[in-house]
Amino acid sequence: TIEVPGTDDWRSYSMANVAVKDGKIELLIRLLDDGCMSSYLKNDVKLGASVDVKGPFGTFNLHDSDGRSRYFVAGSTGLAPLLSMVREMNDKGDKTIAHLLLGARNKDFLFYEEEIKELESTMETLTVHISLDDPEGRENWTGFTGNSVEMLKSVLSENNEKPDIYICGPAGMVTAVEDAGREFNIPSKQIYLERFVASS
């Protein structure tokens, strides 16, 4: 949780890094038109600026999968905590089969593609899936067309398994993933989630 300099407002973010070993924290922050933190980052922040930070908080973390595959379903900057978990698996040499599913509205909302593809190339047990609701303007798009929940259902159908599912995103998306879990008879205890909470 970070205080917006010059205000009494605090904003909460999930870390994308694994552990703070070198004093650095990696955050994925979407810049909103009228956001308090967004305005600071767009207009006022300078390299070397100081901010007040509290935390970390929360309990959204990896669990023992008991041999089951792990599916990480991300909506927008919901990628951050899931990326942290996948990186943790990589650091620890965890050979559990993992699927990272990232959905974006269109090509303008798709980010971090190169970084997660690079991670995929270093992890023999990781498969990355990317979906665009609207791939128009993305030449030779070979990824999934549709939203991330539709992509999840497609991957579940293809693999015919009952994995652990980790989901981070807007409340509606999280609820849709829970519904998909029931549709595929995945026990609710195997679905770990974090819902976005409005900052105001």
Side-chain angles (χ1 to χ4, degrees):
T1 302
I2 303 174
E3 186 177 33
V4 183
T7 76
D8 294 324
D9 293 322
W10 292 76
R11 294 293 182 266
S12 297
Y13 303 99
S14 294
M15 291 184 291
N17 52 297
V18 180
V20 182
K21 298 175 182 175
D22 57 3
K24 296 179 181 177
I25 295 173
E26 182 180 359
L27 305 173
L28 307 180
I29 301 176
R30 180 180 174 189
L31 298 180
L32 303 172
D33 290 339
D34 298 317
C36 185
M37 180 65 82
S38 298
S39 296
Y40 170 72
L41 293 175
K42 286 189 289 188
N43 304 318
D44 302 314
V45 72
K46 301 263 189 315
L47 188 64
S50 295
V51 295
D52 288 331
V53 179
K54 294 188 291 189
F57 305 103
T59 57
F60 188 50
N61 54 276
L62 274 179
H63 296 263
D64 183 6
S65 69
D66 198 24
R68 295 181 297 272
S69 298
R70 293 183 177 117
Y71 285 35
F72 300 93
V73 186
S76 185
T77 52
L79 174 64
L82 305 180
L83 185 59
S84 174
M85 293 180 205
V86 174
R87 284 171 166 169
E88 180 182 348
M89 289 177 62
N90 190 37
D91 285 0
K92 292 182 175 179
D94 188 332
K95 299 301 183 184
T96 303
I97 297 296
H99 293 265
L100 176 59
L101 296 86
L102 174 62
R105 189 180 309 168
N106 55 46
K107 66 181 181 66
D108 295 329
F109 284 82
L110 182 59
F111 71 105
Y112 230 78
E113 185 177 7
E114 290 183 12
E115 290 86 348
I116 60 176
K117 286 291 188 180
E118 182 179 343
L119 183 60
E120 180 184 35
S121 72
T122 69
M123 292 180 64
E124 60 184 37
T125 57
L126 174 65
T127 303
V128 170
H129 310 264
I130 298 176
S131 67
L132 293 179
D133 261 350
D134 177 15
E136 185 177 346
R138 180 73 184 245
E139 293 182 9
N140 304 315
W141 174 246
T142 58
F144 188 87
T145 298
N147 64 45
S148 54
V149 178
E150 293 167 338
M151 180 170 53
L152 170 64
K153 291 181 179 181
S154 176
V155 177
L156 285 170
S157 296
E158 290 172 7
N159 294 327
N160 191 30
E161 58 182 344
K162 293 179 172 54
D164 287 355
I165 297 177
Y166 293 78
I167 167 69
C168 182
M173 177 185 170
V174 171
T175 298
V177 168
E178 291 178 302
D179 291 342
R182 284 188 286 271
E183 181 180 335
F184 284 85
N185 298 311
I186 298 171
S188 59
K189 66 180 181 180
Q190 288 176 219
I191 300 177
Y192 304 98
L193 53 89
E194 184 170 82
R195 289 182 173 87
F196 283 173
V197 177
S199 58
S200 58

